[in-house]
Amino acid sequence: MDAAPLDLEPVRVPEGARVWLVPTPVGNLGDITLRALEVLKAADAVACEDTRRTGLLLRHLGISKPLVRLDAHTMHRAGSVLERHARLAYVSDAGTPGISDPGAELVQAAVAADIPVEVLPGATAFVPALVLSGLPNARFTFEGFLPRGGRDRRERLQALAAREETSVLYESPHRLHATLLDLASACGEGRAASVTRELSKRFEETRRGPLAELAAHFAAGVRGELVVVVAGRPAGDHARPAAEEPTDHAAQARAWLAGGLSVREVRDRLTGLGLRKKEAYALALAAADEQGADKGGEAPGSPV
């Protein structure tokens, strides 16, 4: 495909009422674009998720603008914010607004009010992580954050496992290990995957390998922003049937312990099946007592 000709004209910011969605760096502040700087300077106000975080960024960039909080809890005020500020720039805490962040509602409000909207190209986390994974990326599905538990989580995991293209998802540090275990259970422990953390920051890291190996590596915990990339179902590998509600969670806990998982890992897997954490922990402890298994250093009666 022939490359489009470069637009070598200076950055121009249109006149009149407008909403801009402005990507901000996910780590390295040098990733801000020249166009983003011009738009932030031209805006009447900057709407954001966190006024303190965005205030620090603007001060670093030498820009002073009124800040308006518009996050998931206050986005219902988008219409009134647009009435007060004709030229509004919107930023999320990091990356491109509207990608697993607030922003889509602001676009809808602007479209309904017939206000022009521009989305600037710029920083995202999932695209660099997808390329860094080394997995096929001609076709991929962006999952965002998985549901935390219950039927919705099981169904999403089964759909991901059956998919032929690569899948990309975000996860928080304290849920990464449980999610890797759930992915290994749904996709198979040998399914290729990668975990990228702290993109563009000092301690950026990409770990590649089978899901079971990644789960073991991150069992001790991790810090930073995370992107998980999972390979699609291998050619010729039949999709697994949709998961049904287990009829005997205690038997499942015993089987997982016998397979070498710790009490904590069994608890996390049972929680992923929809059980409450205390119930899952009690079942894992009971199974460990039956088998005389190592409880992984946890104090009895203190689910973490």
Side-chain angles (χ1 to χ4, degrees), residues 138-175:
R139 293 176 60 239
F140 66 92
T141 296
F142 176 66
E143 283 283 348
F145 287 93
L146 292 173
R148 294 195 179 188
R151 181 184 298 275
D152 288 345
R153 183 177 178 89
R154 293 196 301 274
E155 289 178 350
R156 286 274 291 277
L157 285 166
Q158 288 298 326
L160 186 155
R163 197 174 291 141
E164 294 183 352
E165 69 270 18
T166 299
S167 296
V168 185
L169 54 141
Y170 290 159
E171 193 49 281
S172 62
H174 68 278
R175 291 199 300 269

PDB file of all heavy atoms in Angstrom, residues 138-175:
ATOM      1  N   ALA A 138      -2.037  -9.179  12.570  1.00  0.00           N
ATOM      2  CA  ALA A 138      -2.794  -8.691  11.415  1.00  0.00           C
ATOM      3  C   ALA A 138      -4.272  -8.562  11.764  1.00  0.00           C
ATOM      4  O   ALA A 138      -4.967  -7.675  11.259  1.00  0.00           O
ATOM      5  CB  ALA A 138      -2.615  -9.630  10.225  1.00  0.00           C
ATOM      6  N   ARG A 139      -4.749  -9.446  12.639  1.00  0.00           N
ATOM      7  CA  ARG A 139      -6.110  -9.378  13.167  1.00  0.00           C
ATOM      8  C   ARG A 139      -6.027  -9.575  14.676  1.00  0.00           C
ATOM      9  O   ARG A 139      -5.324 -10.469  15.152  1.00  0.00           O
ATOM     10  CB  ARG A 139      -7.011 -10.459  12.564  1.00  0.00           C
ATOM     11  CG  ARG A 139      -7.282 -10.297  11.089  1.00  0.00           C
ATOM     12  CD  ARG A 139      -8.098 -11.464  10.552  1.00  0.00           C
ATOM     13  NE  ARG A 139      -9.391 -11.600  11.203  1.00  0.00           N
ATOM     14  CZ  ARG A 139      -9.796 -12.690  11.863  1.00  0.00           C
ATOM     15  NH1 ARG A 139      -8.989 -13.738  11.976  1.00  0.00           N
ATOM     16  NH2 ARG A 139     -10.986 -12.728  12.425  1.00  0.00           N
ATOM     17  N   PHE A 140      -6.735  -8.745  15.422  1.00  0.00           N
ATOM     18  CA  PHE A 140      -6.725  -8.913  16.873  1.00  0.00           C
ATOM     19  C   PHE A 140      -8.020  -8.356  17.445  1.00  0.00           C
ATOM     20  O   PHE A 140      -8.719  -7.566  16.798  1.00  0.00           O
ATOM     21  CB  PHE A 140      -5.514  -8.227  17.510  1.00  0.00           C
ATOM     22  CG  PHE A 140      -5.510  -6.732  17.398  1.00  0.00           C
ATOM     23  CD1 PHE A 140      -6.065  -5.933  18.400  1.00  0.00           C
ATOM     24  CD2 PHE A 140      -4.964  -6.106  16.285  1.00  0.00           C
ATOM     25  CE1 PHE A 140      -6.066  -4.550  18.290  1.00  0.00           C
ATOM     26  CE2 PHE A 140      -4.949  -4.721  16.171  1.00  0.00           C
ATOM     27  CZ  PHE A 140      -5.502  -3.946  17.176  1.00  0.00           C
ATOM     28  N   THR A 141      -8.334  -8.760  18.673  1.00  0.00           N
ATOM     29  CA  THR A 141      -9.495  -8.245  19.391  1.00  0.00           C
ATOM     30  C   THR A 141      -9.027  -7.574  20.668  1.00  0.00           C
ATOM     31  O   THR A 141      -8.251  -8.158  21.425  1.00  0.00           O
ATOM     32  CB  THR A 141     -10.479  -9.378  19.742  1.00  0.00           C
ATOM     33  OG1 THR A 141     -10.999  -9.931  18.538  1.00  0.00           O
ATOM     34  CG2 THR A 141     -11.642  -8.848  20.582  1.00  0.00           C
ATOM     35  N   PHE A 142      -9.493  -6.351  20.891  1.00  0.00           N
ATOM     36  CA  PHE A 142      -9.169  -5.646  22.121  1.00  0.00           C
ATOM     37  C   PHE A 142     -10.283  -5.897  23.127  1.00  0.00           C
ATOM     38  O   PHE A 142     -11.432  -5.540  22.909  1.00  0.00           O
ATOM     39  CB  PHE A 142      -9.019  -4.145  21.857  1.00  0.00           C
ATOM     40  CG  PHE A 142      -8.785  -3.336  23.097  1.00  0.00           C
ATOM     41  CD1 PHE A 142      -7.614  -3.499  23.830  1.00  0.00           C
ATOM     42  CD2 PHE A 142      -9.731  -2.421  23.542  1.00  0.00           C
ATOM     43  CE1 PHE A 142      -7.401  -2.760  24.985  1.00  0.00           C
ATOM     44  CE2 PHE A 142      -9.515  -1.678  24.687  1.00  0.00           C
ATOM     45  CZ  PHE A 142      -8.351  -1.852  25.409  1.00  0.00           C
ATOM     46  N   GLU A 143      -9.937  -6.530  24.244  1.00  0.00           N
ATOM     47  CA  GLU A 143     -10.912  -6.923  25.254  1.00  0.00           C
ATOM     48  C   GLU A 143     -11.118  -5.867  26.337  1.00  0.00           C
ATOM     49  O   GLU A 143     -12.106  -5.915  27.060  1.00  0.00           O
ATOM     50  CB  GLU A 143     -10.471  -8.232  25.933  1.00  0.00           C
ATOM     51  CG  GLU A 143     -10.708  -9.478  25.105  1.00  0.00           C
ATOM     52  CD  GLU A 143     -12.163  -9.898  25.119  1.00  0.00           C
ATOM     53  OE1 GLU A 143     -12.935  -9.361  25.942  1.00  0.00           O
ATOM     54  OE2 GLU A 143     -12.537 -10.746  24.308  1.00  0.00           O
ATOM     55  N   GLY A 144     -10.174  -4.948  26.501  1.00  0.00           N
ATOM     56  CA  GLY A 144     -10.255  -4.051  27.642  1.00  0.00           C
ATOM     57  C   GLY A 144     -10.070  -4.833  28.930  1.00  0.00           C
ATOM     58  O   GLY A 144      -9.261  -5.769  29.005  1.00  0.00           O
ATOM     59  N   PHE A 145     -10.824  -4.481  29.967  1.00  0.00           N
ATOM     60  CA  PHE A 145     -10.776  -5.205  31.231  1.00  0.00           C
ATOM     61  C   PHE A 145     -11.838  -6.302  31.234  1.00  0.00           C
ATOM     62  O   PHE A 145     -12.985  -6.067  30.848  1.00  0.00           O
ATOM     63  CB  PHE A 145     -11.027  -4.261  32.408  1.00  0.00           C
ATOM     64  CG  PHE A 145      -9.878  -3.335  32.713  1.00  0.00           C
ATOM     65  CD1 PHE A 145      -9.837  -2.070  32.150  1.00  0.00           C
ATOM     66  CD2 PHE A 145      -8.842  -3.738  33.541  1.00  0.00           C
ATOM     67  CE1 PHE A 145      -8.779  -1.206  32.421  1.00  0.00           C
ATOM     68  CE2 PHE A 145      -7.780  -2.884  33.820  1.00  0.00           C
ATOM     69  CZ  PHE A 145      -7.755  -1.619  33.264  1.00  0.00           C
ATOM     70  N   LEU A 146     -11.467  -7.506  31.660  1.00  0.00           N
ATOM     71  CA  LEU A 146     -12.428  -8.589  31.804  1.00  0.00           C
ATOM     72  C   LEU A 146     -13.358  -8.312  32.983  1.00  0.00           C
ATOM     73  O   LEU A 146     -12.970  -7.633  33.946  1.00  0.00           O
ATOM     74  CB  LEU A 146     -11.701  -9.919  32.059  1.00  0.00           C
ATOM     75  CG  LEU A 146     -10.879 -10.488  30.906  1.00  0.00           C
ATOM     76  CD1 LEU A 146     -10.100 -11.716  31.400  1.00  0.00           C
ATOM     77  CD2 LEU A 146     -11.750 -10.859  29.729  1.00  0.00           C
ATOM     78  N   PRO A 147     -14.591  -8.844  32.951  1.00  0.00           N
ATOM     79  CA  PRO A 147     -15.440  -8.777  34.146  1.00  0.00           C
ATOM     80  C   PRO A 147     -14.727  -9.431  35.325  1.00  0.00           C
ATOM     81  O   PRO A 147     -13.936 -10.364  35.152  1.00  0.00           O
ATOM     82  CB  PRO A 147     -16.683  -9.574  33.739  1.00  0.00           C
ATOM     83  CG  PRO A 147     -16.696  -9.536  32.248  1.00  0.00           C
ATOM     84  CD  PRO A 147     -15.263  -9.523  31.823  1.00  0.00           C
ATOM     85  N   ARG A 148     -15.027  -8.978  36.525  1.00  0.00           N
ATOM     86  CA  ARG A 148     -14.275  -9.455  37.693  1.00  0.00           C
ATOM     87  C   ARG A 148     -14.658 -10.863  38.124  1.00  0.00           C
ATOM     88  O   ARG A 148     -13.892 -11.530  38.815  1.00  0.00           O
ATOM     89  CB  ARG A 148     -14.459  -8.479  38.852  1.00  0.00           C
ATOM     90  CG  ARG A 148     -13.835  -7.126  38.581  1.00  0.00           C
ATOM     91  CD  ARG A 148     -13.697  -6.308  39.838  1.00  0.00           C
ATOM     92  NE  ARG A 148     -13.074  -5.020  39.582  1.00  0.00           N
ATOM     93  CZ  ARG A 148     -12.698  -4.187  40.532  1.00  0.00           C
ATOM     94  NH1 ARG A 148     -12.910  -4.487  41.808  1.00  0.00           N
ATOM     95  NH2 ARG A 148     -12.140  -3.032  40.228  1.00  0.00           N
ATOM     96  N   GLY A 149     -15.833 -11.324  37.802  1.00  0.00           N
ATOM     97  CA  GLY A 149     -16.220 -12.659  38.245  1.00  0.00           C
ATOM     98  C   GLY A 149     -17.562 -13.059  37.673  1.00  0.00           C
ATOM     99  O   GLY A 149     -18.182 -12.334  36.892  1.00  0.00           O
ATOM    100  N   GLY A 150     -18.022 -14.256  38.075  1.00  0.00           N
ATOM    101  CA  GLY A 150     -19.341 -14.718  37.709  1.00  0.00           C
ATOM    102  C   GLY A 150     -19.456 -15.177  36.276  1.00  0.00           C
ATOM    103  O   GLY A 150     -18.472 -15.430  35.571  1.00  0.00           O
ATOM    104  N   ARG A 151     -20.715 -15.283  35.825  1.00  0.00           N
ATOM    105  CA  ARG A 151     -21.009 -15.801  34.502  1.00  0.00           C
ATOM    106  C   ARG A 151     -20.392 -14.946  33.392  1.00  0.00           C
ATOM    107  O   ARG A 151     -19.877 -15.479  32.405  1.00  0.00           O
ATOM    108  CB  ARG A 151     -22.522 -15.894  34.308  1.00  0.00           C
ATOM    109  CG  ARG A 151     -22.943 -16.450  32.944  1.00  0.00           C
ATOM    110  CD  ARG A 151     -24.439 -16.417  32.783  1.00  0.00           C
ATOM    111  NE  ARG A 151     -25.074 -17.258  33.785  1.00  0.00           N
ATOM    112  CZ  ARG A 151     -25.260 -18.563  33.633  1.00  0.00           C
ATOM    113  NH1 ARG A 151     -24.835 -19.163  32.533  1.00  0.00           N
ATOM    114  NH2 ARG A 151     -25.861 -19.263  34.569  1.00  0.00           N
ATOM    115  N   ASP A 152     -20.458 -13.621  33.555  1.00  0.00           N
ATOM    116  CA  ASP A 152     -19.916 -12.752  32.512  1.00  0.00           C
ATOM    117  C   ASP A 152     -18.439 -13.026  32.285  1.00  0.00           C
ATOM    118  O   ASP A 152     -17.967 -13.072  31.143  1.00  0.00           O
ATOM    119  CB  ASP A 152     -20.112 -11.280  32.890  1.00  0.00           C
ATOM    120  CG  ASP A 152     -21.559 -10.840  32.799  1.00  0.00           C
ATOM    121  OD1 ASP A 152     -22.358 -11.571  32.176  1.00  0.00           O
ATOM    122  OD2 ASP A 152     -21.888  -9.783  33.361  1.00  0.00           O
ATOM    123  N   ARG A 153     -17.681 -13.220  33.368  1.00  0.00           N
ATOM    124  CA  ARG A 153     -16.247 -13.494  33.229  1.00  0.00           C
ATOM    125  C   ARG A 153     -16.027 -14.841  32.545  1.00  0.00           C
ATOM    126  O   ARG A 153     -15.199 -14.954  31.636  1.00  0.00           O
ATOM    127  CB  ARG A 153     -15.584 -13.472  34.600  1.00  0.00           C
ATOM    128  CG  ARG A 153     -14.050 -13.670  34.544  1.00  0.00           C
ATOM    129  CD  ARG A 153     -13.442 -13.567  35.929  1.00  0.00           C
ATOM    130  NE  ARG A 153     -12.023 -13.795  35.958  1.00  0.00           N
ATOM    131  CZ  ARG A 153     -11.081 -12.862  35.794  1.00  0.00           C
ATOM    132  NH1 ARG A 153     -11.448 -11.617  35.562  1.00  0.00           N
ATOM    133  NH2 ARG A 153      -9.797 -13.149  35.858  1.00  0.00           N
ATOM    134  N   ARG A 154     -16.763 -15.864  32.964  1.00  0.00           N
ATOM    135  CA  ARG A 154     -16.586 -17.189  32.359  1.00  0.00           C
ATOM    136  C   ARG A 154     -16.889 -17.153  30.859  1.00  0.00           C
ATOM    137  O   ARG A 154     -16.159 -17.739  30.055  1.00  0.00           O
ATOM    138  CB  ARG A 154     -17.483 -18.207  33.057  1.00  0.00           C
ATOM    139  CG  ARG A 154     -17.105 -18.488  34.501  1.00  0.00           C
ATOM    140  CD  ARG A 154     -17.770 -19.754  35.003  1.00  0.00           C
ATOM    141  NE  ARG A 154     -19.223 -19.666  34.931  1.00  0.00           N
ATOM    142  CZ  ARG A 154     -19.987 -19.130  35.875  1.00  0.00           C
ATOM    143  NH1 ARG A 154     -19.426 -18.588  36.948  1.00  0.00           N
ATOM    144  NH2 ARG A 154     -21.299 -19.124  35.750  1.00  0.00           N
ATOM    145  N   GLU A 155     -17.958 -16.449  30.488  1.00  0.00           N
ATOM    146  CA  GLU A 155     -18.336 -16.410  29.080  1.00  0.00           C
ATOM    147  C   GLU A 155     -17.306 -15.660  28.249  1.00  0.00           C
ATOM    148  O   GLU A 155     -16.981 -16.066  27.126  1.00  0.00           O
ATOM    149  CB  GLU A 155     -19.718 -15.773  28.935  1.00  0.00           C
ATOM    150  CG  GLU A 155     -20.846 -16.664  29.456  1.00  0.00           C
ATOM    151  CD  GLU A 155     -22.212 -16.003  29.348  1.00  0.00           C
ATOM    152  OE1 GLU A 155     -22.258 -14.782  29.051  1.00  0.00           O
ATOM    153  OE2 GLU A 155     -23.214 -16.705  29.581  1.00  0.00           O
ATOM    154  N   ARG A 156     -16.772 -14.573  28.801  1.00  0.00           N
ATOM    155  CA  ARG A 156     -15.743 -13.828  28.065  1.00  0.00           C
ATOM    156  C   ARG A 156     -14.475 -14.649  27.911  1.00  0.00           C
ATOM    157  O   ARG A 156     -13.823 -14.633  26.861  1.00  0.00           O
ATOM    158  CB  ARG A 156     -15.441 -12.507  28.785  1.00  0.00           C
ATOM    159  CG  ARG A 156     -16.518 -11.446  28.647  1.00  0.00           C
ATOM    160  CD  ARG A 156     -16.379 -10.604  27.391  1.00  0.00           C
ATOM    161  NE  ARG A 156     -15.219  -9.756  27.442  1.00  0.00           N
ATOM    162  CZ  ARG A 156     -15.169  -8.573  28.058  1.00  0.00           C
ATOM    163  NH1 ARG A 156     -16.227  -8.113  28.690  1.00  0.00           N
ATOM    164  NH2 ARG A 156     -14.071  -7.864  28.038  1.00  0.00           N
ATOM    165  N   LEU A 157     -14.094 -15.378  28.958  1.00  0.00           N
ATOM    166  CA  LEU A 157     -12.904 -16.222  28.871  1.00  0.00           C
ATOM    167  C   LEU A 157     -13.078 -17.319  27.833  1.00  0.00           C
ATOM    168  O   LEU A 157     -12.155 -17.627  27.067  1.00  0.00           O
ATOM    169  CB  LEU A 157     -12.602 -16.837  30.244  1.00  0.00           C
ATOM    170  CG  LEU A 157     -11.986 -15.889  31.282  1.00  0.00           C
ATOM    171  CD1 LEU A 157     -12.053 -16.510  32.674  1.00  0.00           C
ATOM    172  CD2 LEU A 157     -10.539 -15.562  30.927  1.00  0.00           C
ATOM    173  N   GLN A 158     -14.257 -17.936  27.789  1.00  0.00           N
ATOM    174  CA  GLN A 158     -14.503 -18.990  26.813  1.00  0.00           C
ATOM    175  C   GLN A 158     -14.501 -18.434  25.394  1.00  0.00           C
ATOM    176  O   GLN A 158     -13.982 -19.065  24.471  1.00  0.00           O
ATOM    177  CB  GLN A 158     -15.834 -19.681  27.118  1.00  0.00           C
ATOM    178  CG  GLN A 158     -15.809 -20.564  28.361  1.00  0.00           C
ATOM    179  CD  GLN A 158     -14.821 -21.718  28.236  1.00  0.00           C
ATOM    180  OE1 GLN A 158     -14.615 -22.248  27.156  1.00  0.00           O
ATOM    181  NE2 GLN A 158     -14.200 -22.089  29.345  1.00  0.00           N
ATOM    182  N   ALA A 159     -15.063 -17.237  25.207  1.00  0.00           N
ATOM    183  CA  ALA A 159     -15.045 -16.621  23.883  1.00  0.00           C
ATOM    184  C   ALA A 159     -13.619 -16.302  23.458  1.00  0.00           C
ATOM    185  O   ALA A 159     -13.232 -16.516  22.294  1.00  0.00           O
ATOM    186  CB  ALA A 159     -15.901 -15.352  23.892  1.00  0.00           C
ATOM    187  N   LEU A 160     -12.821 -15.797  24.387  1.00  0.00           N
ATOM    188  CA  LEU A 160     -11.425 -15.497  24.099  1.00  0.00           C
ATOM    189  C   LEU A 160     -10.664 -16.771  23.728  1.00  0.00           C
ATOM    190  O   LEU A 160      -9.879 -16.793  22.781  1.00  0.00           O
ATOM    191  CB  LEU A 160     -10.793 -14.815  25.310  1.00  0.00           C
ATOM    192  CG  LEU A 160      -9.378 -14.267  25.209  1.00  0.00           C
ATOM    193  CD1 LEU A 160      -9.192 -13.142  26.239  1.00  0.00           C
ATOM    194  CD2 LEU A 160      -8.332 -15.336  25.446  1.00  0.00           C
ATOM    195  N   ALA A 161     -10.918 -17.855  24.462  1.00  0.00           N
ATOM    196  CA  ALA A 161     -10.215 -19.117  24.211  1.00  0.00           C
ATOM    197  C   ALA A 161     -10.526 -19.672  22.830  1.00  0.00           C
ATOM    198  O   ALA A 161      -9.674 -20.305  22.190  1.00  0.00           O
ATOM    199  CB  ALA A 161     -10.593 -20.139  25.285  1.00  0.00           C
ATOM    200  N   ALA A 162     -11.755 -19.454  22.355  1.00  0.00           N
ATOM    201  CA  ALA A 162     -12.173 -20.013  21.069  1.00  0.00           C
ATOM    202  C   ALA A 162     -11.770 -19.154  19.876  1.00  0.00           C
ATOM    203  O   ALA A 162     -11.827 -19.599  18.730  1.00  0.00           O
ATOM    204  CB  ALA A 162     -13.693 -20.192  21.068  1.00  0.00           C
ATOM    205  N   ARG A 163     -11.335 -17.943  20.148  1.00  0.00           N
ATOM    206  CA  ARG A 163     -11.041 -16.989  19.081  1.00  0.00           C
ATOM    207  C   ARG A 163      -9.764 -17.375  18.346  1.00  0.00           C
ATOM    208  O   ARG A 163      -8.779 -17.789  18.954  1.00  0.00           O
ATOM    209  CB  ARG A 163     -10.910 -15.614  19.712  1.00  0.00           C
ATOM    210  CG  ARG A 163     -10.995 -14.447  18.771  1.00  0.00           C
ATOM    211  CD  ARG A 163     -10.985 -13.157  19.564  1.00  0.00           C
ATOM    212  NE  ARG A 163     -12.210 -12.996  20.331  1.00  0.00           N
ATOM    213  CZ  ARG A 163     -12.257 -12.504  21.556  1.00  0.00           C
ATOM    214  NH1 ARG A 163     -11.137 -12.146  22.171  1.00  0.00           N
ATOM    215  NH2 ARG A 163     -13.405 -12.357  22.169  1.00  0.00           N
ATOM    216  N   GLU A 164      -9.742 -17.197  17.033  1.00  0.00           N
ATOM    217  CA  GLU A 164      -8.564 -17.537  16.243  1.00  0.00           C
ATOM    218  C   GLU A 164      -7.550 -16.405  16.189  1.00  0.00           C
ATOM    219  O   GLU A 164      -6.368 -16.639  15.944  1.00  0.00           O
ATOM    220  CB  GLU A 164      -8.983 -17.929  14.824  1.00  0.00           C
ATOM    221  CG  GLU A 164      -9.806 -19.232  14.773  1.00  0.00           C
ATOM    222  CD  GLU A 164     -10.145 -19.630  13.362  1.00  0.00           C
ATOM    223  OE1 GLU A 164      -9.889 -18.829  12.427  1.00  0.00           O
ATOM    224  OE2 GLU A 164     -10.662 -20.746  13.170  1.00  0.00           O
ATOM    225  N   GLU A 165      -8.002 -15.165  16.402  1.00  0.00           N
ATOM    226  CA  GLU A 165      -7.069 -14.046  16.355  1.00  0.00           C
ATOM    227  C   GLU A 165      -6.520 -13.744  17.758  1.00  0.00           C
ATOM    228  O   GLU A 165      -7.062 -14.198  18.761  1.00  0.00           O
ATOM    229  CB  GLU A 165      -7.747 -12.793  15.786  1.00  0.00           C
ATOM    230  CG  GLU A 165      -8.802 -12.171  16.667  1.00  0.00           C
ATOM    231  CD  GLU A 165     -10.197 -12.727  16.410  1.00  0.00           C
ATOM    232  OE1 GLU A 165     -10.303 -13.810  15.800  1.00  0.00           O
ATOM    233  OE2 GLU A 165     -11.166 -12.083  16.835  1.00  0.00           O
ATOM    234  N   THR A 166      -5.464 -12.981  17.794  1.00  0.00           N
ATOM    235  CA  THR A 166      -4.840 -12.569  19.044  1.00  0.00           C
ATOM    236  C   THR A 166      -5.791 -11.671  19.849  1.00  0.00           C
ATOM    237  O   THR A 166      -6.553 -10.897  19.278  1.00  0.00           O
ATOM    238  CB  THR A 166      -3.532 -11.818  18.740  1.00  0.00           C
ATOM    239  OG1 THR A 166      -2.646 -12.703  18.040  1.00  0.00           O
ATOM    240  CG2 THR A 166      -2.850 -11.341  20.012  1.00  0.00           C
ATOM    241  N   SER A 167      -5.747 -11.802  21.168  1.00  0.00           N
ATOM    242  CA  SER A 167      -6.571 -10.976  22.055  1.00  0.00           C
ATOM    243  C   SER A 167      -5.674 -10.115  22.934  1.00  0.00           C
ATOM    244  O   SER A 167      -4.608 -10.561  23.370  1.00  0.00           O
ATOM    245  CB  SER A 167      -7.457 -11.853  22.947  1.00  0.00           C
ATOM    246  OG  SER A 167      -8.383 -12.601  22.165  1.00  0.00           O
ATOM    247  N   VAL A 168      -6.114  -8.887  23.186  1.00  0.00           N
ATOM    248  CA  VAL A 168      -5.367  -7.946  24.013  1.00  0.00           C
ATOM    249  C   VAL A 168      -6.283  -7.477  25.137  1.00  0.00           C
ATOM    250  O   VAL A 168      -7.440  -7.127  24.893  1.00  0.00           O
ATOM    251  CB  VAL A 168      -4.903  -6.727  23.199  1.00  0.00           C
ATOM    252  CG1 VAL A 168      -4.015  -5.817  24.045  1.00  0.00           C
ATOM    253  CG2 VAL A 168      -4.180  -7.167  21.931  1.00  0.00           C
ATOM    254  N   LEU A 169      -5.786  -7.492  26.368  1.00  0.00           N
ATOM    255  CA  LEU A 169      -6.595  -7.027  27.487  1.00  0.00           C
ATOM    256  C   LEU A 169      -5.752  -6.264  28.486  1.00  0.00           C
ATOM    257  O   LEU A 169      -4.534  -6.437  28.563  1.00  0.00           O
ATOM    258  CB  LEU A 169      -7.321  -8.183  28.177  1.00  0.00           C
ATOM    259  CG  LEU A 169      -6.492  -9.366  28.668  1.00  0.00           C
ATOM    260  CD1 LEU A 169      -7.009  -9.849  30.003  1.00  0.00           C
ATOM    261  CD2 LEU A 169      -6.592 -10.512  27.661  1.00  0.00           C
ATOM    262  N   TYR A 170      -6.422  -5.419  29.248  1.00  0.00           N
ATOM    263  CA  TYR A 170      -5.795  -4.692  30.345  1.00  0.00           C
ATOM    264  C   TYR A 170      -6.091  -5.420  31.650  1.00  0.00           C
ATOM    265  O   TYR A 170      -7.119  -6.088  31.787  1.00  0.00           O
ATOM    266  CB  TYR A 170      -6.343  -3.267  30.448  1.00  0.00           C
ATOM    267  CG  TYR A 170      -5.937  -2.345  29.323  1.00  0.00           C
ATOM    268  CD1 TYR A 170      -6.681  -1.194  29.054  1.00  0.00           C
ATOM    269  CD2 TYR A 170      -4.816  -2.596  28.542  1.00  0.00           C
ATOM    270  CE1 TYR A 170      -6.321  -0.328  28.034  1.00  0.00           C
ATOM    271  CE2 TYR A 170      -4.448  -1.732  27.531  1.00  0.00           C
ATOM    272  CZ  TYR A 170      -5.206  -0.605  27.277  1.00  0.00           C
ATOM    273  OH  TYR A 170      -4.836   0.258  26.270  1.00  0.00           O
ATOM    274  N   GLU A 171      -5.189  -5.287  32.616  1.00  0.00           N
ATOM    275  CA  GLU A 171      -5.428  -5.868  33.938  1.00  0.00           C
ATOM    276  C   GLU A 171      -4.694  -5.056  34.986  1.00  0.00           C
ATOM    277  O   GLU A 171      -3.682  -4.403  34.695  1.00  0.00           O
ATOM    278  CB  GLU A 171      -4.976  -7.337  33.978  1.00  0.00           C
ATOM    279  CG  GLU A 171      -5.450  -8.110  35.193  1.00  0.00           C
ATOM    280  CD  GLU A 171      -6.943  -7.948  35.461  1.00  0.00           C
ATOM    281  OE1 GLU A 171      -7.317  -6.894  36.023  1.00  0.00           O
ATOM    282  OE2 GLU A 171      -7.708  -8.850  35.103  1.00  0.00           O
ATOM    283  N   SER A 172      -5.230  -5.078  36.199  1.00  0.00           N
ATOM    284  CA  SER A 172      -4.603  -4.374  37.311  1.00  0.00           C
ATOM    285  C   SER A 172      -3.584  -5.291  37.973  1.00  0.00           C
ATOM    286  O   SER A 172      -3.694  -6.523  37.886  1.00  0.00           O
ATOM    287  CB  SER A 172      -5.656  -3.939  38.324  1.00  0.00           C
ATOM    288  OG  SER A 172      -6.305  -5.075  38.872  1.00  0.00           O
ATOM    289  N   PRO A 173      -2.585  -4.724  38.646  1.00  0.00           N
ATOM    290  CA  PRO A 173      -1.533  -5.560  39.241  1.00  0.00           C
ATOM    291  C   PRO A 173      -2.053  -6.606  40.219  1.00  0.00           C
ATOM    292  O   PRO A 173      -1.609  -7.747  40.196  1.00  0.00           O
ATOM    293  CB  PRO A 173      -0.637  -4.529  39.938  1.00  0.00           C
ATOM    294  CG  PRO A 173      -0.839  -3.269  39.188  1.00  0.00           C
ATOM    295  CD  PRO A 173      -2.280  -3.277  38.776  1.00  0.00           C
ATOM    296  N   HIS A 174      -3.028  -6.239  41.074  1.00  0.00           N
ATOM    297  CA  HIS A 174      -3.459  -7.191  42.093  1.00  0.00           C
ATOM    298  C   HIS A 174      -4.359  -8.294  41.548  1.00  0.00           C
ATOM    299  O   HIS A 174      -4.628  -9.269  42.248  1.00  0.00           O
ATOM    300  CB  HIS A 174      -4.152  -6.461  43.254  1.00  0.00           C
ATOM    301  CG  HIS A 174      -5.472  -5.856  42.889  1.00  0.00           C
ATOM    302  ND1 HIS A 174      -5.589  -4.635  42.265  1.00  0.00           N
ATOM    303  CD2 HIS A 174      -6.734  -6.310  43.071  1.00  0.00           C
ATOM    304  CE1 HIS A 174      -6.865  -4.353  42.084  1.00  0.00           C
ATOM    305  NE2 HIS A 174      -7.581  -5.340  42.549  1.00  0.00           N
ATOM    306  N   ARG A 175      -4.812  -8.176  40.287  1.00  0.00           N
ATOM    307  CA  ARG A 175      -5.626  -9.242  39.696  1.00  0.00           C
ATOM    308  C   ARG A 175      -4.902 -10.003  38.594  1.00  0.00           C
ATOM    309  O   ARG A 175      -5.464 -10.934  38.011  1.00  0.00           O
ATOM    310  CB  ARG A 175      -6.929  -8.663  39.143  1.00  0.00           C
ATOM    311  CG  ARG A 175      -7.894  -8.169  40.204  1.00  0.00           C
ATOM    312  CD  ARG A 175      -9.312  -8.044  39.658  1.00  0.00           C
ATOM    313  NE  ARG A 175      -9.392  -7.109  38.560  1.00  0.00           N
ATOM    314  CZ  ARG A 175      -9.651  -5.809  38.689  1.00  0.00           C
ATOM    315  NH1 ARG A 175      -9.834  -5.298  39.894  1.00  0.00           N
ATOM    316  NH2 ARG A 175      -9.729  -5.022  37.631  1.00  0.00           N
TER     317      ARG A 175
END
